């Protein structure tokens, strides 16, 4: 990579990451939506578990799963739909005609959004654990960090690869994302051990990276025996593979769409 290209890359990543990292300070309402609402959903589910006299480890399952779902919603609505929103706001033309690349812009969004959302997720986890006195196996903290970072990177890489598809096929994909919210809760095993249902079902749900991330964190943090089928080390490798493949796909699709937009000029038209 040439020197000036690397300079543009760093400036682009910084420029798009900055508002996502420090934007929360300027918009305190985001704290309510990103932290308090997920905490409320975890509280509701834990009281349901206590109403059925469930074992204490199930509360640990709920805290971990509910904390990780905050990342999923940010990836879907803050990453996959980002270019679509930029088009409607009139910024996509500026991105395409600028000396930078769309993949670099999304990389900055990925870095800034991933860091900010990780802080949200950790806050949800900390508050929920404190409220209910949930205990975890903290001696495996370094394993948990490895799994968590791998999951966040793979999720944002998938969001980056989906952004070009959502931009190309329009607003209709937003309705599909809304419909997929509850199924994703179920398929990710956010409030129950995914492999306790059926091994084949668990393997099928592992197509979603967050399923592997939640399962891996429960393996290393839950005190009691956790029912699973895939070791957390293998799950981490699979999530890294997801990230590599998704980034390669995103680079290819974004380069094709950028070239098409420059040559034909159809991507930025309001009726396209």
């Amino acid at each position: 990579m040439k020197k000036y290209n690397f300079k543009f890359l760093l400036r682009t990543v910084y420029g798009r990451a900055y508002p996502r990292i420090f934007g929360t300070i300027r918009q305190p309402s985001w704290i309510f939506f990103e932290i308090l609402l997920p905490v409320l959903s975890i509280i509701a589910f834990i009281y349901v578990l206590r109403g059925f006299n469930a074992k204490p480890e199930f509360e640990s399952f709920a805290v971990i799963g509910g904390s990780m779902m905050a990342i999923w919603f940010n990836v879907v609505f803050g990453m996959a739909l980002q270019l679509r929103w930029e088009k409607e706001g009139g910024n996509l033309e500026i991105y395409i005609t600028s000396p930078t690349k769309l993949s670099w812009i999304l990389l900055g969004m990925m870095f800034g959004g991933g860091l900010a959302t990780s802080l949200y997720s950790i806050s949800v986890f900390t508050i929920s654990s404190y409220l209910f006195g949930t205990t975890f196996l903290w001696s495996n903290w370094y394993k948990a960090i490895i799994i968590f970072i791998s999951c966040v990177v793979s999720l944002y890489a998938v969001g980056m690869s989906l952004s070009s598809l959502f931009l190309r096929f329009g607003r209709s994909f937003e309705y599909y994302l809304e419909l997929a919210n509850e199924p994703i809760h179920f398929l990710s095993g956010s409030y129950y051990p995914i492999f306790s249902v059926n091994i084949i079902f668990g393997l099928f749900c592992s197509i979603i990276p967050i399923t592997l991330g939640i399962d891996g964190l429960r393996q290393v943090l839950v005190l009691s025996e956790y029912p699973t089928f895939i070791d957390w080390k293998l799950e981490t490798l699979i999530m890294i593979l997801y990230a590599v493949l998704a980034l390669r796909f995103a680079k290819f699709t974004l380069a094709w769409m950028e070239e098409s937009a420059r040559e034909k000029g159809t991507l930025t038209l309001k009726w396209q």
Side-chain angles (χ1 to χ4, degrees):
M1 181 179 292
K2 296 182 180 180
K3 184 176 181 180
Y4 67 88
N5 280 342
F6 186 70
K7 178 182 177 181
F8 284 148
L9 170 61
L10 292 180
R11 293 178 63 180
T12 302
V13 171
Y14 174 78
R16 300 313 301 162
Y18 182 89
R20 282 159 177 76
I21 297 176
F22 298 99
T24 307
I25 301 176
R26 301 174 183 176
Q27 294 290 340
S29 61
W30 291 1
I31 299 177
F32 174 79
F33 292 106
E34 299 289 349
I35 297 178
L36 295 183
L37 290 183
V39 169
L40 289 176
S41 65
I42 293 175
I43 291 174
F45 201 85
I46 286 181
Y47 277 120
V48 171
L49 292 173
R50 291 186 176 182
F52 285 97
N53 296 320
K55 297 180 180 180
E57 56 263 29
F58 279 87
E59 296 184 10
S60 303
F61 300 161
V63 170
I64 294 175
S67 301
M68 293 297 292
M69 289 306 298
I71 301 176
W72 170 260
F73 291 119
N74 188 274
V75 167
V76 170
F77 295 102
M79 193 70 187
L81 293 175
Q82 188 63 45
L83 289 183
R84 182 67 190 178
W85 291 339
E86 297 290 358
K87 177 181 178 180
E88 294 178 354
N91 293 327
L92 186 61
E93 293 89 342
I94 301 175
Y95 292 163
I96 294 177
T97 56
S98 66
T100 187
K101 297 181 179 180
L102 287 177
S103 58
W104 296 355
I105 293 173
L106 286 177
L107 188 63
M109 297 176 183
M110 174 181 173
F111 179 79
L115 182 58
T117 310
S118 297
L119 295 177
Y120 293 148
S121 180
I122 294 173
S123 300
V124 173
F125 179 84
T126 303
I127 294 172
S128 303
S129 301
Y130 175 78
L131 289 176
F132 294 99
T134 310
T135 56
F136 296 96
L137 192 60
W138 294 116
S139 59
N140 289 333
W141 63 270
Y142 61 96
K143 298 179 182 178
I145 292 177
I146 294 174
I147 298 169
F148 181 80
I149 293 177
S150 301
C151 183
V152 172
V153 172
S154 62
L155 284 173
Y156 272 89
V158 171
M160 185 175 176
S161 64
L162 293 177
S163 61
S164 57
L165 297 179
F166 291 168
L167 174 62
R168 177 64 182 84
F169 292 104
R171 188 184 296 271
S172 59
F173 268 73
E174 295 185 36
Y175 304 124
Y176 299 139
L177 288 178
E178 293 286 350
L179 292 174
N181 284 342
E182 293 304 322
I184 290 297
H185 270 287
F186 175 69
L187 295 176
S188 64
S190 57
Y191 294 119
Y192 67 95
I194 191 66
F195 287 104
S196 64
V197 179
N198 184 277
I199 293 178
I200 298 178
F201 176 75
L203 291 175
F204 171 77
C205 295
S206 298
I207 298 175
I208 310 172
I210 195 172
T211 303
L212 298 173
I214 293 174
D215 187 77
L217 288 174
R218 287 170 177 169
Q219 288 185 45
V220 300
L221 290 180
V222 175
L223 293 174
S224 62
E225 184 177 356
Y226 178 72
T228 188
F229 179 73
I230 306 177
D231 184 71
W232 69 271
K233 297 178 182 178
L234 180 58
E235 290 177 330
T236 302
L237 292 176
I238 294 174
M239 287 187 290
I240 294 175
L241 178 61
Y242 279 161
V244 173
L245 294 177
L247 289 175
R248 293 292 297 177
F249 178 77
K251 182 180 179 180
F252 171 77
T253 55
L254 289 172
W256 175 77
M257 293 185 65
E258 188 174 5
E259 181 180 358
S260 176
R262 293 180 189 275
E263 293 180 355
K264 301 178 181 178
T266 58
L267 186 60
T268 58
L269 297 179
K270 292 182 179 180
W271 56 85
Q272 295 291 330

